[in-house]
Amino acid sequence: MLRQLHDAICARPDDDTAREALARAYDPLDAARGAFIRAQLARARLEARQDELGDDEQVRCDDLRRREAELLHQSAAGWLDPVGLVPAEVQWSRGLPENVSLSWERLWLVGRAALGALPVRHLHVLGPWRGGRRYLARQVQRLARWPALPGLESLTLTNGVLEPRALAALSCAPGLAELAALTLTGVRIGSAGAATLATTARLPRLRALTLQSCDIGPAGCEGLAASPQLAGLHALGLWANRAGDRGAVALASAAALGELRALTLSGNRVGPVGAVALLESTHLVELRRLDLSVNPLGDEGVARLGATRPPALDELELGDVGVGSSGLAALARSTLLGRLRVLRLPHNFFGAAGVRALTAVPHLERLEVLDLSSNSLEVEAMSALTSVAFAALRTLDLTCNRLGSEGVRALTRARGLAELRELDLTANSIGDEGAALLAGAAHLPRLRVVRVDHDTTISAAGLARLRARFGPGVTGATM
């Protein structure tokens, strides 16, 4: 019976009917296991409508999370022992171990049995830390010869050098034909490897491809852009690959990427020319999320982005791009800002002048997430920020600024943060006075997640005061 239910879950992983039946089947055999499955299913249903949760439901969600942690601490080792896994190698989702992280050695030792016995959806293989240049190629070629892995949706490989022949074997492996996401992190494949992936991939269901620090360069971007094999991609992540403007322009010109919804080019030496090409592309018309962080855009580049009119973009990340008040002023005057739901501007150090420029015009009505972390913000910046009536803002990240208690005082006077659910004040030295001000704020009715981590100026009493007001969603250390 248990085997049949596991097979049913593998066949239909998003349908909870078999999971509920599995919980009932475990009740007479292992009551803790049945209780754990039910708790995770209940929390998943609540979190699926996170923005609509009332106070009682949020408390229920937090209670379920604590109960899950208790059950895992007591029983996870015993649940996993029959398949040779240990708790540190597993992440649980909706009652089952769907995410497994193993070294290559552990994969060959227990992986096939574990992946055959469990409804694993995500496999992360770590390493190699030894074995020489050919080590990773040998492991990947061995993995490519495995039989089908039913239910496996994503595969992540980290660290090493992967030659084109091994990469071709992986991307054509019959056992990975159902793969929806492939991630290579720190795996050097070079432009030749990117070209191989572009021309040989036989992954018809692939929707997300991430190549992080893979050294593909602009030529690799050109190869990916020209690939009909990758026409179904919805997400492409190319962190730290030296793409440059040439690579960005190639991607902007890619007719095959017409279904792309999310593109990450963080740390790729992309300047204003490449960035503007992406947002003016006549092919990337479905693009909703663009991450251009850690690229030399400056005020000129951000101003030029503001002049574009991408039809679908509603999430923009511009961390550490060297933008100041003049670039933000141009962005604020643009129609682009008015269409964004998510705007992330960390590590630009633009201070109060930047916040004043950003909030000078009423184009922030749609914003749900605003990240202003690491921007040297002080009290004056908070006064400017709180002058805006944010109609939809749910998450505000002010990590690593210089707010102190007076910055919190200014924040708590805001009447435009009624929808705020999550506030990050990590490393702002707000002290017990700031904690008391925040706990007594009259205009933050929906706030439930408050982070004050890395702030040794808050005592246990100050932290307790925050938790008494906002509940278990408060995190932080005490002095």
mmCIF file of all heavy atoms in Angstrom, residues 184-228:
data_model
loop_
_atom_site.group_PDB
_atom_site.id
_atom_site.type_symbol
_atom_site.label_atom_id
_atom_site.label_comp_id
_atom_site.label_asym_id
_atom_site.label_seq_id
_atom_site.Cartn_x
_atom_site.Cartn_y
_atom_site.Cartn_z
ATOM 1 N N LEU A 184 23.998 24.727 -13.348
ATOM 2 C CA LEU A 184 25.427 24.481 -13.198
ATOM 3 C C LEU A 184 26.013 25.683 -12.467
ATOM 4 O O LEU A 184 25.959 26.807 -12.967
ATOM 5 C CB LEU A 184 26.104 24.307 -14.560
ATOM 6 C CG LEU A 184 25.547 23.226 -15.494
ATOM 7 C CD1 LEU A 184 26.339 23.204 -16.800
ATOM 8 C CD2 LEU A 184 25.570 21.860 -14.832
ATOM 9 N N THR A 185 26.583 25.438 -11.298
ATOM 10 C CA THR A 185 27.132 26.510 -10.477
ATOM 11 C C THR A 185 28.619 26.283 -10.251
ATOM 12 O O THR A 185 29.008 25.261 -9.667
ATOM 13 C CB THR A 185 26.406 26.592 -9.123
ATOM 14 O OG1 THR A 185 25.020 26.856 -9.339
ATOM 15 C CG2 THR A 185 27.002 27.697 -8.261
ATOM 16 N N GLY A 186 29.434 27.200 -10.734
ATOM 17 C CA GLY A 186 30.876 27.036 -10.594
ATOM 18 C C GLY A 186 31.413 25.902 -11.438
ATOM 19 O O GLY A 186 32.505 25.389 -11.168
ATOM 20 N N VAL A 187 30.682 25.497 -12.437
ATOM 21 C CA VAL A 187 31.121 24.443 -13.360
ATOM 22 C C VAL A 187 31.586 25.126 -14.643
ATOM 23 O O VAL A 187 30.776 25.659 -15.404
ATOM 24 C CB VAL A 187 29.984 23.451 -13.663
ATOM 25 C CG1 VAL A 187 30.445 22.409 -14.685
ATOM 26 C CG2 VAL A 187 29.507 22.777 -12.381
ATOM 27 N N ARG A 188 32.866 25.137 -14.866
ATOM 28 C CA ARG A 188 33.405 25.844 -16.032
ATOM 29 C C ARG A 188 33.180 25.028 -17.303
ATOM 30 O O ARG A 188 33.754 23.961 -17.477
ATOM 31 C CB ARG A 188 34.890 26.141 -15.821
ATOM 32 C CG ARG A 188 35.141 27.286 -14.830
ATOM 33 C CD ARG A 188 36.607 27.425 -14.528
ATOM 34 N NE ARG A 188 37.070 26.316 -13.689
ATOM 35 C CZ ARG A 188 38.341 25.981 -13.531
ATOM 36 N NH1 ARG A 188 39.284 26.645 -14.176
ATOM 37 N NH2 ARG A 188 38.679 24.983 -12.757
ATOM 38 N N ILE A 189 32.335 25.562 -18.167
ATOM 39 C CA ILE A 189 32.072 24.893 -19.444
ATOM 40 C C ILE A 189 32.595 25.718 -20.621
ATOM 41 O O ILE A 189 32.760 25.190 -21.714
ATOM 42 C CB ILE A 189 30.574 24.606 -19.631
ATOM 43 C CG1 ILE A 189 29.764 25.911 -19.708
ATOM 44 C CG2 ILE A 189 30.049 23.710 -18.519
ATOM 45 C CD1 ILE A 189 28.309 25.696 -20.073
ATOM 46 N N GLY A 190 32.836 27.015 -20.402
ATOM 47 C CA GLY A 190 33.359 27.877 -21.464
ATOM 48 C C GLY A 190 32.354 28.082 -22.588
ATOM 49 O O GLY A 190 31.248 27.534 -22.586
ATOM 50 N N SER A 191 32.753 28.863 -23.573
ATOM 51 C CA SER A 191 31.865 29.142 -24.710
ATOM 52 C C SER A 191 31.597 27.866 -25.510
ATOM 53 O O SER A 191 30.494 27.676 -26.051
ATOM 54 C CB SER A 191 32.471 30.212 -25.608
ATOM 55 O OG SER A 191 33.748 29.812 -26.091
ATOM 56 N N ALA A 192 32.589 26.960 -25.567
ATOM 57 C CA ALA A 192 32.400 25.700 -26.291
ATOM 58 C C ALA A 192 31.330 24.847 -25.624
ATOM 59 O O ALA A 192 30.503 24.212 -26.306
ATOM 60 C CB ALA A 192 33.711 24.938 -26.370
ATOM 61 N N GLY A 193 31.319 24.843 -24.294
ATOM 62 C CA GLY A 193 30.297 24.087 -23.580
ATOM 63 C C GLY A 193 28.913 24.668 -23.783
ATOM 64 O O GLY A 193 27.930 23.937 -23.952
ATOM 65 N N ALA A 194 28.814 26.011 -23.779
ATOM 66 C CA ALA A 194 27.522 26.647 -24.020
ATOM 67 C C ALA A 194 27.018 26.314 -25.421
ATOM 68 O O ALA A 194 25.824 26.045 -25.624
ATOM 69 C CB ALA A 194 27.641 28.157 -23.840
ATOM 70 N N ALA A 195 27.932 26.311 -26.402
ATOM 71 C CA ALA A 195 27.548 25.960 -27.772
ATOM 72 C C ALA A 195 27.080 24.512 -27.851
ATOM 73 O O ALA A 195 26.097 24.192 -28.537
ATOM 74 C CB ALA A 195 28.718 26.190 -28.719
ATOM 75 N N THR A 196 27.768 23.631 -27.128
ATOM 76 C CA THR A 196 27.368 22.226 -27.100
ATOM 77 C C THR A 196 25.977 22.066 -26.505
ATOM 78 O O THR A 196 25.123 21.350 -27.036
ATOM 79 C CB THR A 196 28.382 21.399 -26.288
ATOM 80 O OG1 THR A 196 29.652 21.462 -26.928
ATOM 81 C CG2 THR A 196 27.941 19.957 -26.152
ATOM 82 N N LEU A 197 25.748 22.749 -25.396
ATOM 83 C CA LEU A 197 24.435 22.698 -24.752
ATOM 84 C C LEU A 197 23.358 23.214 -25.695
ATOM 85 O O LEU A 197 22.259 22.654 -25.789
ATOM 86 C CB LEU A 197 24.468 23.514 -23.462
ATOM 87 C CG LEU A 197 23.260 23.431 -22.531
ATOM 88 C CD1 LEU A 197 23.072 22.013 -22.033
ATOM 89 C CD2 LEU A 197 23.449 24.380 -21.360
ATOM 90 N N ALA A 198 23.681 24.280 -26.403
ATOM 91 C CA ALA A 198 22.704 24.895 -27.304
ATOM 92 C C ALA A 198 22.346 23.994 -28.475
ATOM 93 O O ALA A 198 21.209 24.017 -28.968
ATOM 94 C CB ALA A 198 23.254 26.227 -27.814
ATOM 95 N N THR A 199 23.290 23.193 -28.933
ATOM 96 C CA THR A 199 23.062 22.406 -30.156
ATOM 97 C C THR A 199 22.677 20.955 -29.895
ATOM 98 O O THR A 199 22.075 20.313 -30.763
ATOM 99 C CB THR A 199 24.313 22.426 -31.046
ATOM 100 O OG1 THR A 199 25.437 21.958 -30.287
ATOM 101 C CG2 THR A 199 24.595 23.834 -31.551
ATOM 102 N N THR A 200 23.007 20.429 -28.700
ATOM 103 C CA THR A 200 22.781 19.002 -28.478
ATOM 104 C C THR A 200 21.678 18.697 -27.482
ATOM 105 O O THR A 200 21.261 17.533 -27.370
ATOM 106 C CB THR A 200 24.070 18.310 -27.987
ATOM 107 O OG1 THR A 200 24.414 18.823 -26.689
ATOM 108 C CG2 THR A 200 25.213 18.542 -28.949
ATOM 109 N N ALA A 201 21.220 19.690 -26.727
ATOM 110 C CA ALA A 201 20.262 19.422 -25.648
ATOM 111 C C ALA A 201 19.013 18.728 -26.169
ATOM 112 O O ALA A 201 18.416 19.151 -27.155
ATOM 113 C CB ALA A 201 19.885 20.719 -24.953
ATOM 114 N N ARG A 202 18.643 17.663 -25.489
ATOM 115 C CA ARG A 202 17.398 16.961 -25.782
ATOM 116 C C ARG A 202 16.577 16.913 -24.497
ATOM 117 O O ARG A 202 16.314 15.865 -23.936
ATOM 118 C CB ARG A 202 17.687 15.540 -26.282
ATOM 119 C CG ARG A 202 18.488 15.470 -27.564
ATOM 120 C CD ARG A 202 17.714 16.028 -28.770
ATOM 121 N NE ARG A 202 18.476 15.894 -29.998
ATOM 122 C CZ ARG A 202 19.304 16.820 -30.464
ATOM 123 N NH1 ARG A 202 19.485 17.948 -29.785
ATOM 124 N NH2 ARG A 202 19.962 16.626 -31.583
ATOM 125 N N LEU A 203 16.186 18.089 -24.065
ATOM 126 C CA LEU A 203 15.435 18.241 -22.825
ATOM 127 C C LEU A 203 14.148 18.988 -23.151
ATOM 128 O O LEU A 203 14.020 20.194 -22.908
ATOM 129 C CB LEU A 203 16.265 19.009 -21.786
ATOM 130 C CG LEU A 203 17.616 18.373 -21.392
ATOM 131 C CD1 LEU A 203 18.436 19.328 -20.554
ATOM 132 C CD2 LEU A 203 17.385 17.053 -20.650
ATOM 133 N N PRO A 204 13.166 18.304 -23.700
ATOM 134 C CA PRO A 204 11.987 18.982 -24.235
ATOM 135 C C PRO A 204 11.158 19.727 -23.201
ATOM 136 O O PRO A 204 10.400 20.636 -23.560
ATOM 137 C CB PRO A 204 11.183 17.836 -24.867
ATOM 138 C CG PRO A 204 11.675 16.594 -24.185
ATOM 139 C CD PRO A 204 13.111 16.844 -23.896
ATOM 140 N N ARG A 205 11.290 19.351 -21.926
ATOM 141 C CA ARG A 205 10.491 20.019 -20.887
ATOM 142 C C ARG A 205 11.283 21.071 -20.122
ATOM 143 O O ARG A 205 10.791 21.626 -19.138
ATOM 144 C CB ARG A 205 9.933 18.977 -19.915
ATOM 145 C CG ARG A 205 9.022 17.966 -20.601
ATOM 146 C CD ARG A 205 8.183 17.210 -19.609
ATOM 147 N NE ARG A 205 7.295 16.278 -20.260
ATOM 148 C CZ ARG A 205 6.357 15.563 -19.644
ATOM 149 N NH1 ARG A 205 6.206 15.685 -18.338
ATOM 150 N NH2 ARG A 205 5.580 14.730 -20.302
ATOM 151 N N LEU A 206 12.501 21.344 -20.543
ATOM 152 C CA LEU A 206 13.346 22.300 -19.823
ATOM 153 C C LEU A 206 12.739 23.699 -19.888
ATOM 154 O O LEU A 206 12.492 24.234 -20.964
ATOM 155 C CB LEU A 206 14.752 22.322 -20.417
ATOM 156 C CG LEU A 206 15.819 23.029 -19.572
ATOM 157 C CD1 LEU A 206 16.107 22.234 -18.302
ATOM 158 C CD2 LEU A 206 17.099 23.234 -20.370
ATOM 159 N N ARG A 207 12.521 24.288 -18.721
ATOM 160 C CA ARG A 207 11.957 25.636 -18.636
ATOM 161 C C ARG A 207 12.877 26.616 -17.931
ATOM 162 O O ARG A 207 12.688 27.825 -18.046
ATOM 163 C CB ARG A 207 10.609 25.582 -17.896
ATOM 164 C CG ARG A 207 9.533 24.785 -18.633
ATOM 165 C CD ARG A 207 9.154 25.450 -19.946
ATOM 166 N NE ARG A 207 8.194 24.667 -20.713
ATOM 167 C CZ ARG A 207 8.515 23.805 -21.672
ATOM 168 N NH1 ARG A 207 9.792 23.613 -21.977
ATOM 169 N NH2 ARG A 207 7.606 23.135 -22.317
ATOM 170 N N ALA A 208 13.866 26.103 -17.195
ATOM 171 C CA ALA A 208 14.782 26.988 -16.470
ATOM 172 C C ALA A 208 16.209 26.479 -16.624
ATOM 173 O O ALA A 208 16.496 25.322 -16.348
ATOM 174 C CB ALA A 208 14.412 27.053 -14.989
ATOM 175 N N LEU A 209 17.093 27.360 -17.076
ATOM 176 C CA LEU A 209 18.509 27.037 -17.241
ATOM 177 C C LEU A 209 19.330 28.081 -16.500
ATOM 178 O O LEU A 209 19.180 29.288 -16.746
ATOM 179 C CB LEU A 209 18.893 27.033 -18.719
ATOM 180 C CG LEU A 209 20.388 26.821 -19.031
ATOM 181 C CD1 LEU A 209 20.853 25.453 -18.558
ATOM 182 C CD2 LEU A 209 20.650 27.001 -20.529
ATOM 183 N N THR A 210 20.191 27.615 -15.593
ATOM 184 C CA THR A 210 21.054 28.515 -14.837
ATOM 185 C C THR A 210 22.501 28.098 -15.039
ATOM 186 O O THR A 210 22.867 26.943 -14.786
ATOM 187 C CB THR A 210 20.713 28.470 -13.336
ATOM 188 O OG1 THR A 210 19.369 28.902 -13.138
ATOM 189 C CG2 THR A 210 21.651 29.378 -12.546
ATOM 190 N N LEU A 211 23.314 29.030 -15.496
ATOM 191 C CA LEU A 211 24.751 28.819 -15.662
ATOM 192 C C LEU A 211 25.443 29.919 -14.853
ATOM 193 O O LEU A 211 25.580 31.051 -15.314
ATOM 194 C CB LEU A 211 25.147 28.908 -17.138
ATOM 195 C CG LEU A 211 24.426 27.946 -18.091
ATOM 196 C CD1 LEU A 211 24.838 28.224 -19.530
ATOM 197 C CD2 LEU A 211 24.705 26.492 -17.720
ATOM 198 N N GLN A 212 25.854 29.584 -13.661
ATOM 199 C CA GLN A 212 26.446 30.572 -12.754
ATOM 200 C C GLN A 212 27.948 30.368 -12.673
ATOM 201 O O GLN A 212 28.415 29.282 -12.323
ATOM 202 C CB GLN A 212 25.828 30.461 -11.361
ATOM 203 C CG GLN A 212 26.386 31.478 -10.376
ATOM 204 C CD GLN A 212 25.622 31.487 -9.072
ATOM 205 O OE1 GLN A 212 24.641 30.796 -8.903
ATOM 206 N NE2 GLN A 212 26.081 32.290 -8.134
ATOM 207 N N SER A 213 28.688 31.416 -13.029
ATOM 208 C CA SER A 213 30.155 31.351 -13.006
ATOM 209 C C SER A 213 30.655 30.177 -13.836
ATOM 210 O O SER A 213 31.477 29.377 -13.384
ATOM 211 C CB SER A 213 30.667 31.247 -11.561
ATOM 212 O OG SER A 213 30.256 32.353 -10.795
ATOM 213 N N CYS A 214 30.176 30.079 -15.062
ATOM 214 C CA CYS A 214 30.550 28.985 -15.962
ATOM 215 C C CYS A 214 31.500 29.438 -17.061
ATOM 216 O O CYS A 214 31.863 28.643 -17.937
ATOM 217 C CB CYS A 214 29.295 28.358 -16.576
ATOM 218 S SG CYS A 214 28.280 27.475 -15.379
ATOM 219 N N ASP A 215 31.872 30.725 -17.062
ATOM 220 C CA ASP A 215 32.901 31.237 -17.974
ATOM 221 C C ASP A 215 32.505 31.080 -19.448
ATOM 222 O O ASP A 215 33.329 30.747 -20.288
ATOM 223 C CB ASP A 215 34.222 30.506 -17.708
ATOM 224 C CG ASP A 215 35.421 31.249 -18.301
ATOM 225 O OD1 ASP A 215 35.354 32.486 -18.393
ATOM 226 O OD2 ASP A 215 36.405 30.587 -18.679
ATOM 227 N N ILE A 216 31.227 31.383 -19.762
ATOM 228 C CA ILE A 216 30.794 31.189 -21.147
ATOM 229 C C ILE A 216 31.103 32.394 -22.028
ATOM 230 O O ILE A 216 31.186 32.262 -23.257
ATOM 231 C CB ILE A 216 29.294 30.835 -21.239
ATOM 232 C CG1 ILE A 216 28.412 32.030 -20.851
ATOM 233 C CG2 ILE A 216 28.976 29.612 -20.396
ATOM 234 C CD1 ILE A 216 26.938 31.798 -21.140
ATOM 235 N N GLY A 217 31.262 33.582 -21.431
ATOM 236 C CA GLY A 217 31.620 34.768 -22.212
ATOM 237 C C GLY A 217 30.555 35.179 -23.215
ATOM 238 O O GLY A 217 29.493 34.550 -23.320
ATOM 239 N N PRO A 218 30.812 36.228 -23.995
ATOM 240 C CA PRO A 218 29.829 36.694 -24.984
ATOM 241 C C PRO A 218 29.544 35.663 -26.071
ATOM 242 O O PRO A 218 28.417 35.545 -26.550
ATOM 243 C CB PRO A 218 30.468 37.961 -25.555
ATOM 244 C CG PRO A 218 31.913 37.878 -25.201
ATOM 245 C CD PRO A 218 31.992 37.114 -23.934
ATOM 246 N N ALA A 219 30.561 34.894 -26.464
ATOM 247 C CA ALA A 219 30.346 33.881 -27.503
ATOM 248 C C ALA A 219 29.387 32.802 -27.017
ATOM 249 O O ALA A 219 28.552 32.299 -27.785
ATOM 250 C CB ALA A 219 31.681 33.257 -27.907
ATOM 251 N N GLY A 220 29.472 32.450 -25.739
ATOM 252 C CA GLY A 220 28.541 31.478 -25.177
ATOM 253 C C GLY A 220 27.114 31.999 -25.181
ATOM 254 O O GLY A 220 26.169 31.250 -25.465
ATOM 255 N N CYS A 221 26.952 33.286 -24.877
ATOM 256 C CA CYS A 221 25.611 33.892 -24.933
ATOM 257 C C CYS A 221 25.055 33.853 -26.354
ATOM 258 O O CYS A 221 23.860 33.588 -26.558
ATOM 259 C CB CYS A 221 25.665 35.330 -24.432
ATOM 260 S SG CYS A 221 26.024 35.502 -22.676
ATOM 261 N N GLU A 222 25.909 34.108 -27.313
ATOM 262 C CA GLU A 222 25.472 34.064 -28.711
ATOM 263 C C GLU A 222 25.024 32.660 -29.102
ATOM 264 O O GLU A 222 24.020 32.482 -29.816
ATOM 265 C CB GLU A 222 26.596 34.552 -29.614
ATOM 266 C CG GLU A 222 26.858 36.045 -29.481
ATOM 267 C CD GLU A 222 28.136 36.501 -30.163
ATOM 268 O OE1 GLU A 222 29.006 35.638 -30.448
ATOM 269 O OE2 GLU A 222 28.274 37.718 -30.392
ATOM 270 N N GLY A 223 25.749 31.653 -28.613
ATOM 271 C CA GLY A 223 25.362 30.281 -28.896
ATOM 272 C C GLY A 223 24.012 29.938 -28.294
ATOM 273 O O GLY A 223 23.151 29.337 -28.960
ATOM 274 N N LEU A 224 23.791 30.322 -27.042
ATOM 275 C CA LEU A 224 22.506 30.065 -26.396
ATOM 276 C C LEU A 224 21.376 30.799 -27.098
ATOM 277 O O LEU A 224 20.276 30.263 -27.279
ATOM 278 C CB LEU A 224 22.564 30.483 -24.928
ATOM 279 C CG LEU A 224 23.520 29.713 -24.017
ATOM 280 C CD1 LEU A 224 23.563 30.346 -22.640
ATOM 281 C CD2 LEU A 224 23.111 28.247 -23.906
ATOM 282 N N ALA A 225 21.635 32.040 -27.504
ATOM 283 C CA ALA A 225 20.599 32.851 -28.147
ATOM 284 C C ALA A 225 20.145 32.253 -29.469
ATOM 285 O O ALA A 225 18.980 32.423 -29.872
ATOM 286 C CB ALA A 225 21.122 34.271 -28.358
ATOM 287 N N ALA A 226 21.026 31.560 -30.138
ATOM 288 C CA ALA A 226 20.704 31.008 -31.455
ATOM 289 C C ALA A 226 20.108 29.612 -31.395
ATOM 290 O O ALA A 226 19.816 29.019 -32.438
ATOM 291 C CB ALA A 226 21.963 30.986 -32.319
ATOM 292 N N SER A 227 19.908 29.074 -30.193
ATOM 293 C CA SER A 227 19.540 27.668 -30.054
ATOM 294 C C SER A 227 18.037 27.425 -30.138
ATOM 295 O O SER A 227 17.283 27.871 -29.259
ATOM 296 C CB SER A 227 20.032 27.125 -28.709
ATOM 297 O OG SER A 227 19.527 25.831 -28.482
ATOM 298 N N PRO A 228 17.576 26.696 -31.121
ATOM 299 C CA PRO A 228 16.168 26.311 -31.143
ATOM 300 C C PRO A 228 15.838 25.277 -30.067
ATOM 301 O O PRO A 228 14.676 25.102 -29.700
ATOM 302 C CB PRO A 228 15.989 25.723 -32.555
ATOM 303 C CG PRO A 228 17.348 25.267 -32.961
ATOM 304 C CD PRO A 228 18.303 26.212 -32.313
#
